[in-house]
Amino acid sequence: MEPKQCTKNQKNWLERESEDWVEQGILAEEQQAQILSRYSTSHVDSFYSSWSSLLLISLGAILIGGGIILLVAHNWESFGKGTRTVLSILPLLLAQALAWYSVRYKPQLAGLREASGVLLFFAVAASIALISQTYHIYGDLERFLVTWLVMGIPILYLIGSAGVLILVCALILWLCGLEREPYWLYYLLLAPYLYSLYKHQRYVLFQWALWFVVIGSTFSIVYSVGWKSPIDDWMIYILLALSVLYYSLGKWFFGFKEQGFWANPLSSAGALGIASISLMLTWEGFYRYSKFDTDSKFVFNDYLILLVFAISVLATIGFVVVKFKRLGINQWALTTSMLLAILGVIGIQIKLPELVYITLANLYVLIASVVIMSQGINQHRLMLLNAGLLWFSFLVLFRFFDSDIPFVLKGIVFIFIGSAFLGVNIWYNKKLKGHVSAQQEDVA
């Protein structure tokens, strides 16, 4: 059976733990060896855990490619059409050769693969631009970017470069902001790539790739909305619904067991979106419906975004129905924010007073943050406790900023909240130590 891939840190942890199990008589040495043989360290994933190295290698590849283009451009007018054609294709051929060599002969060198992937990605753009200029194949920026994107996505599948993934996400975001069209649909082409990473157990790269896709797709949807779109006032509620969908999908696919903040990008990004957007809804000015009296018309992208909103609502309802027995009170606290999103959209149509909606939003944040804090204490999860405390603190601070309370009193509140953070954490650590000591005494 092929060994499962894991990082060096995970393998070292398993070795230390299994040695303790052998000393305690839980495992025999032969069993320990069999367990350790089932896992092998992944050089690729251990490299991707060092994002500073990844960024430096990608930056170096970009600078090399840019330097070559500048040298050629300096003498471009003095070259004939044939020479221009050769120079246009040559960087692409060299980058392809380097990429083929890295994949075929040096697959264990992630740095070489990253550099070759980024170079090939930019060589494609350079060749398209130079050939177009040489043979006077005129087109606008949108056509150039779409062609680059369509030709660049296969590079991601062939090389599996994290740098190329970042560039593809940035290119899609650029297109959405430039043309205000549904180019965010190109993220659907990345789904097989994410699945292949998960299937081949490249979990570290899969987690970071999913982070980029989730964040990139969200911002792309926002920037794709037209300047005078009739759904402009709905976007904050659509984003809230999308955040709830991310959170629900993360729990649905990766389970309810605590995995750490970075290990479950869907749930973590969804929780951040729910917390930040719900706080925004407690301010005056975000709930409005004045633009619906204009003559703005729906376009294709508007209908697609409304479809995303409908899917988010229906999928969240399905998640609640299927996982009803497994939902804890903290999951209920976050998923019920979908009601705020639905109420916001409906409230615009029925002319719900702004004061009513803002009051409900404040009540939701207040109750949900207190619930999260209580669950953090009950479940002995310091991160959950601090998240709830931070959510509650921002609500308090926001209410102070939108009032005429003197600065001295505001300063006192800042000091009080900071002291509360320190005090709660010190109290929690003492409580946790006492809980651990009690468990050890019970075992003894």
Side-chain angles (χ1 to χ4, degrees):
M1 184 176 62
E2 185 179 353
K4 295 182 178 180
Q5 299 294 321
C6 64
T7 63
K8 289 184 178 180
N9 291 334
Q10 292 172 332
K11 185 67 176 290
N12 293 335
W13 177 87
L14 183 59
E15 290 176 351
R16 292 193 301 269
E17 291 296 315
S18 59
E19 289 175 359
D20 293 337
W21 297 339
V22 171
E23 293 178 359
Q24 297 173 11
I26 300 175
L27 286 179
E29 292 185 359
E30 295 80 7
Q31 293 174 320
Q32 179 195 20
Q34 291 178 355
I35 293 174
L36 294 177
S37 65
R38 291 173 60 87
Y39 300 91
S40 64
T41 56
S42 170
H43 298 287
V44 175
D45 279 354
S46 61
F47 169 81
Y48 284 114
S49 62
S50 177
W51 283 95
S52 59
S53 299
L54 168 62
L55 293 175
L56 289 174
I57 289 175
S58 299
L59 179 61
I62 293 172
L63 291 174
I64 292 173
I68 295 174
I69 293 173
L70 288 175
L71 290 175
V72 173
H74 180 69
N75 300 303
W76 187 253
E77 296 297 332
S78 62
F79 297 142
K81 184 171 292 188
T83 305
R84 291 183 183 183
T85 303
V86 173
L87 291 176
S88 300
I89 300 177
L90 184 60
L92 181 61
L93 294 177
L94 293 176
Q96 285 179 323
L98 180 61
W100 175 79
Y101 175 78
S102 66
V103 174
R104 181 67 177 83
Y105 295 104
K106 300 293 183 180
Q108 74 280 6
L109 297 180
L112 180 61
R113 178 150 55 177
E114 285 296 324
S116 63
V118 173
L119 280 174
L120 181 57
F121 188 81
F122 280 101
V124 168
S127 297
I128 295 172
L130 294 175
I131 289 293
S132 299
Q133 196 274 341
T134 300
Y135 293 94
H136 305 289
I137 306 173
Y138 295 106
D140 54 13
L141 180 59
E142 179 186 8
R143 185 179 300 178
F144 167 72
L145 293 177
V146 171
T147 305
W148 185 12
L149 179 62
V150 172
M151 297 182 68
I153 289 178
I155 299 174
L156 179 64
Y157 284 90
L158 293 173
I159 300 180
S161 166
V164 174
L165 175 66
I166 297 172
L167 293 172
V168 166
C169 293
L171 201 55
I172 296 174
L173 181 60
W174 187 3
L175 273 167
C176 290
L178 180 68
E179 299 298 330
R180 304 287 171 170
E181 296 291 342
Y183 286 110
W184 49 269
L185 291 174
Y186 276 104
Y187 279 102
L188 296 177
L189 298 178
L190 304 182
Y193 172 70
L194 295 174
Y195 176 74
S196 66
L197 292 179
Y198 183 79
K199 183 179 180 180
H200 291 91
Q201 300 176 353
R202 298 174 65 184
Y203 295 126
V204 175
L205 180 55
F206 169 74
Q207 291 163 2
W208 285 105
L210 193 55
W211 268 107
F212 283 113
V213 170
V214 168
I215 296 174
S217 61
T218 303
F219 279 99
S220 297
I221 290 175
V222 173
Y223 281 111
S224 69
V225 179
W227 297 110
K228 296 182 179 180
S229 171
I231 68 167
D232 186 41
D233 287 338
W234 286 1
M235 282 309 299
I236 190 168
Y237 311 115
I238 295 173
L239 288 178
L240 178 58
L242 191 61
S243 299
V244 180
L245 174 65
Y246 288 151
Y247 179 79
S248 302
L249 290 178
K251 294 299 181 182
W252 200 331
F253 292 146
F254 300 107
F256 290 82
K257 186 178 179 181
E258 178 62 22
Q259 299 173 328
F261 181 81
W262 300 108
N264 192 340
L266 288 171
S267 289
S268 299
L272 286 175
I274 292 169
S276 57
I277 295 174
S278 61
L279 283 170
M280 292 169 63
L281 293 174
T282 63
W283 284 83
E284 294 182 3
F286 285 98
Y287 179 83
R288 61 190 187 278
Y289 45 83
S290 57
K291 291 185 180 180
F292 281 86
D293 297 328
T294 65
D295 296 329
S296 300
K297 295 181 179 180
F298 283 88
V299 296
F300 179 65
N301 186 51
D302 297 332
Y303 288 113
L304 283 178
I305 294 176
L306 290 178
L307 179 61
V308 170
F309 175 73
I311 292 174
S312 300
V313 174
L314 294 176
T316 302
I317 294 174
F319 166 73
V320 171
V321 172
V322 174
K323 302 293 184 179
F324 184 82
K325 295 182 179 179
R326 297 195 59 186
L327 292 179
I329 189 171
N330 49 331
Q331 281 90 42
W332 280 108
L334 293 176
T335 53
T336 50
S337 62
M338 181 64 78
L339 298 176
L340 274 181
I342 297 173
L343 181 61
V345 173
I346 296 176
I348 290 176
Q349 300 300 314
I350 65 175
K351 308 295 185 180
L352 181 70
E354 183 182 29
L355 180 60
V356 174
Y357 187 84
I358 291 177
T359 302
L360 292 175
N362 277 273
L363 286 175
Y364 165 75
V365 176
L366 175 62
I367 296 173
S369 61
V370 172
V371 167
I372 296 296
M373 284 189 289
S374 64
Q375 288 301 299
I377 295 173
N378 294 334
Q379 298 176 13
H380 304 287
R381 293 168 58 186
L382 183 59
M383 183 175 180
L384 191 63
L385 172 62
N386 282 326
L389 186 58
L390 190 65
W391 199 6
F392 176 80
S393 300
F394 270 112
L395 177 65
V396 175
L397 291 176
F398 284 0
R399 299 291 68 77
F400 269 77
F401 278 121
D402 64 2
S403 62
D404 296 328
I405 298 176
F407 279 96
V408 175
L409 185 54
K410 291 180 180 179
I412 295 174
V413 171
F414 269 99
I415 296 173
F416 175 77
I417 292 177
S419 302
F421 267 101
L422 294 175
V424 168
N425 279 270
I426 293 172
W427 168 80
Y428 174 82
N429 287 324
K430 290 182 178 179
K431 184 179 187 325
L432 185 60
K433 290 180 181 179
H435 178 74
V436 172
S437 300
Q439 284 186 334
Q440 291 175 348
E441 291 177 0
D442 292 339
V443 173

